[in-house]
Amino acid sequence: MSIPVAVNHTRKLFFGLCLWLPLLLLAGCKVTKNYPKDKPFVYKTTVKLNTRLPQAEKSILLSKLEKQVADSLQSRWVTKLFVKQVLNNPPVFDTANVTQSAIFLNDLLKANGYIYGNITWDTSLVIVPKKQQQRVYTTFTVNTGKVMHVDSVGYGFRDSTLQALALVNQDAGKLKKGDTYTKDKIAQELDRLLNVFRNNGYLKISREDIYAEVDTVVAGIFDPGLDPFEQIRLLEEMQKRREDPKIDVRFLQRGAKNPEHLRQYFFRNVSIYPDLQLVQDTVQVFGDTARRGGVMIYQSRNLFKPSFLARNNTIKPGAIYRQDNVNRTNNVFGQMSAWKQVGIELRPIDSIGVVDANINMYPAKRRNIGGDFEVSRNQSDILTSTNLFGIGVQFGLQDRNVSRQSVLSSTNLRFGIELGNQGQIIQTFQTNLSQSFTIPKFVLPFKIRADRSLLATRTILNATAAYTDRRDFYATRSLNTSIAYDWVNRKNRNWTYSPLNIEFVRVYDTDSLRKLYDSIPNLKNLFNDGLIISQYLILRNTWGRGNKLYSLKTQVEESGAIFGMFPTIDLQGRLSRFVRGDIDFRYYVNHDKHSWAFRIFGAMGVPYGQLLDSTKNIVKEQTLPFYKSYFAGGPSSMRGWQIRQLGPGSSKIFANNNADRFADIQLEGNIEYRFDLAVVFGIKLKSALFTDFGNIWYRNNQGDPSLDDAVFKVNKLYRDLAVDLGTSLRLDFNYFLIRFDWAYKFKDPFYAEHKNGWFYDMNLFKGQFQLGINYPF
């Protein structure tokens, strides 16, 4: 089968535009406005870095160096209309700014341990007579030389208690022998020491009281006020160190200027005020007073149980002052639903070394009844999620203080429709009723010792009943109930573990779906009644470095491993048995008016039990239940395809129908370049260029050779990958964002026999429109 002639013409036109259009645009893409006439002005400033650092570290250091260049030497180019660059009001060139910038660059090198680095610079003047422009190009060349390493770390505090604390905790130090010497690491170690001291009673100790000292030779190099001849002598003394530069660092105590800073404090009076008002007409009267564990609790409206307040407070009378306990108490109460503001007031009494603490809390509105009209997006499975893409109406009732213990109760009733263009406007109708309780502690029959070391703990109880009508294919009724424990540890990692998650789904197929069973046999095993009794574990971790942000989410779920051993629970083969795992990694590089966003997602599920099929026969499970399977396409997945209309693999088993496509394996990657356009009537207009690549697959052909192209195989991965490219218009209302995405199928595995599906049937008007809420990732 040959590619149609029209397709060849389309491809030639596409490649011609890709080749010539950028050249035409680049011919006049740089514009300079409001520049000084007959005076040299800053046109371009460049920093070149010569170093043996790895590429990643080199990029970080280069970014820091570029920011050290004086503002009056920066050329502020602004990109408009994708390719047009505008330089507006460039500053007049002054050599004094170049000299000053060289000093800044040199200081940064020394602060990062490159004491043998050097800076050179040169400028060139380009005159453009017709435009009366005198453009100045400046280039800084930075040679780092060898970096200095730490040879030893010591502590020399005059106060014996401070010295003992520093030595006992030195294994946790931020600065170790052999580390690269930087001022940032010195600052981190100073902060760590202050935290150790403040957690051992030293309430008022600060940076004024401790400092870092380097060995005298290197200290002279860093001292800008030292006599130049003395610096020369010190430099000569350091010649022997050039091959392997090293430095000794000691942390010392300054003079006793503030003696109260070296006093250990103990908590004396601790008071909790849980129902204060931000605005008081008169002096508040506390009608209810209670004492729990030496802590006084004052209430005017008796809104909270004293035992509940005392249990969550870690500031105890008579205990030594610890900053971590103050922070924990503030965070624990602040994260609960019952309060909108929490603050801790400390009142130290220097003469006797005690501190009084007042825990001031301002309750939020307890009950809230509301309704929302929403346009939402699909997230995971199509039954237990309340985020089907489409239009929804939701009514909710919230109570933030059930049982006077800040238990959050949420009751929601939702009606939603999923929109599509597969022959009808309304593709799916869904309604569900859910009830959840969020308890701000672990509810367990036994105690957990680590509970106190966690930053936040919650128990979540949930129950949901849902009805979903997927027009022309199937309808489902589902019940879901679960208990889950959620916590954040000291490394700011968020864990969620559910020891019991029960889901029951009843499937009502239609004539249209039954007809598909003949052409797609595996559907008989996919759309069945099902019972899931599972447990799952989720880990969410987010961290940043400079303008870069990283996010990792991993999830593992299993069903049937434990409860499958009980025949009475198995319900004649309806209990699904499977293990599935997901990994979602995201990486963002943020700038003032533009950013890059990257995402990689991988998932796989393995069924291993037996089920009743649609004909009531017991068969081996070949696929995950469809409401636990993976799908691709839609506003938050492969945007060149309609929702659930991609894959599996390069198979053509769905060639003549629009049935939903599910599978056991999914791989997907997404890249977006996001940038601002303008602000219109207070609404931020944004845009993006994006590409998505991925697909879904079966694990095996389930005994049917016609499914071979739907099975995941490493040697067929390139053939099976789908690729789309597109652009987007986005309306940012601060609280939410509306996306209008338009994407083209650049590589369609359905036509893999034609050059692996690249550019098959490309057409300007054959793109896919997607409407989404918030960023896709």
Side-chain angles (χ1 to χ4, degrees), residues 45 47 65-71 73-74 101 104-105 140:
T45 301
V47 179
L65 289 167
E66 289 173 341
K67 293 178 181 178
Q68 290 297 105
V69 176
D71 290 342
L73 205 61
Q74 300 273 11
S101 296
F104 293 158
L105 293 171
F140 292 95

Side-chain angles (χ1 to χ4, degrees), residues 344 456 545 595:
I344 298 179
R545 183 181 301 167
S595 63

Side-chain angles (χ1 to χ4, degrees), residues 9-212:
H9 287 306
T10 302
R11 184 185 302 168
K12 290 179 180 179
L13 176 61
F14 173 79
F15 282 115
L17 289 173
C18 289
L19 177 63
W20 293 107
L21 185 57
L23 296 178
L24 292 173
L25 292 171
L26 289 172
C29 66
K30 288 192 174 182
V31 178
T32 307
K33 296 181 178 180
N34 303 318
Y35 52 89
K37 301 292 178 62
D38 300 323
K39 289 183 179 181
F41 64 87
V42 177
Y43 189 77
K44 185 177 181 180
T45 301
T46 306
V47 179
K48 293 183 178 180
L49 177 60
N50 296 326
T51 182
R52 293 183 180 180
L53 286 172
Q55 185 58 43
E57 296 181 27
K58 180 179 179 180
S59 299
I60 294 173
L61 180 58
L62 179 59
S63 177
K64 292 180 179 179
L65 289 167
E66 289 173 341
K67 293 178 181 178
Q68 290 297 105
V69 176
D71 290 342
S72 52
L73 205 61
Q74 300 273 11
S75 52
R76 310 287 184 182
W77 289 93
V78 179
T79 301
K80 294 185 177 181
L81 299 177
F82 303 103
V83 295
K84 184 179 179 181
Q85 291 184 297
V86 178
L87 177 62
N88 192 20
N89 291 315
V92 175
F93 176 77
D94 189 341
T95 54
N97 297 325
V98 179
T99 304
Q100 188 67 38
S101 296
I103 294 174
F104 293 158
L105 293 171
N106 192 48
D107 289 343
L108 179 67
L109 282 184
K110 290 182 178 180
N112 284 273
Y114 299 97
I115 66 167
Y116 299 117
N118 65 81
I119 314 292
T120 60
W121 58 273
D122 63 77
T123 60
S124 59
L125 177 65
V126 176
I127 299 176
V128 184
K130 292 183 179 180
K131 297 183 179 180
Q132 294 182 305
Q133 291 184 1
Q134 297 183 29
R135 302 175 179 176
V136 178
Y137 294 77
T138 304
T139 302
F140 292 95
T141 302
V142 180
N143 297 287
T144 60
K146 291 187 176 181
V147 68
M148 178 177 290
H149 293 89
V150 176
D151 191 38
S152 66
V153 179
Y155 304 96
F157 297 104
R158 294 191 313 276
D159 185 277
S160 59
T161 305
L162 294 182
Q163 180 70 5
L165 289 171
L167 293 175
V168 168
N169 292 277
Q170 64 181 340
D171 290 342
K174 299 294 185 180
L175 195 66
K176 304 285 188 180
K177 181 177 180 178
D179 285 354
T180 301
Y181 173 86
T182 67
K183 285 188 176 180
D184 285 344
K185 290 183 179 179
I186 295 293
Q188 290 175 16
E189 178 63 7
L190 287 170
D191 289 339
R192 186 193 70 86
L193 289 169
L194 288 174
N195 190 59
V196 169
F197 300 151
R198 288 169 183 161
N199 279 321
N200 285 274
Y202 291 91
L203 167 64
K204 293 192 172 184
I205 197 167
S206 68
R207 280 285 191 96
E208 298 178 2
D209 304 302
I210 63 175
Y211 67 101

